[in-house]
Amino acid sequence: MDIDYHCKQYVKAYRSTECFVGWLEKLGYLNKSVQNICDMACGGGANIAYMGNRFKSSFFTGIDLSDELIEYGNKRLEGRNNCRLYQGDWYNLDKKWIGKFNGIISFQTLSWLPEYEKALNKLAMLNPEWIAISSLFYEGDIEYIIKIKDYYRPSANKEYEEAYYNIYSLVRIEKCFNQLGYSQFNYVPFDIDLDLPKPESLDIGTYTIKTEGEKRIQVSGALMMPWYFIVASK
Ligand SMILES: C[S@@+](CC[C@H](N)C(=O)[O-])C[C@H]1O[C@@H](n2cnc3c(N)ncnc32)[C@H](O)[C@@H]1O
């Protein structure tokens, strides 16, 4: 596990986190009222720390598969009384979470799961008023199932690390949410407003390329990263 990825977000939140949270605030989903918010696949909890600071009246619950990250995160969140992390599997969530959240947010994880239908269904089963996700999406009706074998990152029993980098169709995602009872759907591309330097290594790692008109394209390895923020509500 790349613990550094989780640590450095505590020092400075990613620009994508600031912009996603700002977008949800502008739409009124995150606000100064008392709310219970879940961060699904919260990693080491840095996004929860950021939101807990920005929305002090709300309570933030993080859920992640990794015991190690939950332990690390809860240590870092000690003393913050509106943030707490729990170990759990997105695909096999404890029934105690049903009806507990006004909203569920998931930062940069859906595209790294094998699929989206079952994943969204599991979130809807908790019956939140709204679900917000940042990931890779395409506005057209095409889904890209992308699986990488990263030989820069050998794992315990393999020469490489395997990961998905799926790009889901926003048309299909909206239909899926509709079928789950979430009839309002909003999305926006995340056009990053700062330059990210190209890493020296050819391994995965996001950097930006400036195009004509000052728009930046985000790239990681061989892929263009079409980041979007989405939110679906009842
Ligand atoms: C790319 S990281 C994103 C972490 C965090 N949301 C962030 O933005 O920093 C993906 C996270 O998903 C978690 N994860 C993967 N599969 C999961 C599952 N089935 N249930 C819960 N968490 C899962 C991993 O442990 C990891 O922390």
Side-chain angles (χ1 to χ4, degrees), residues 5-6 9 41-43 47 64-66 69 88-91 107-109 113:
Y5 168 90
H6 301 279
Q9 294 190 66
C42 62
N47 291 329
D64 197 278
L65 194 57
S66 160
L69 286 175
D89 181 355
W90 186 326
Y91 286 97
F107 295 85
Q108 44 213 22
T109 299
L113 297 179

Side-chain angles (χ1 to χ4, degrees), residues 147-163:
K147 196 173 186 185
I148 66 163
K149 286 182 178 180
D150 187 344
Y151 290 88
Y152 288 105
R153 299 175 184 222
S155 49
N157 50 358
K158 284 200 210 97
E159 258 187 279
Y160 50 84
E161 186 181 274
E162 276 184 320

Side-chain angles (χ1 to χ4, degrees), residues 29-30 35 37 102-105 128-132 182 231-233:
Y29 289 100
L30 289 172
Q35 292 205 89
I37 307 293
N102 299 92
I104 299 181
I105 307 183
E129 289 146 34
W130 53 269
I131 298 170
Y182 292 79
V231 62
S233 58

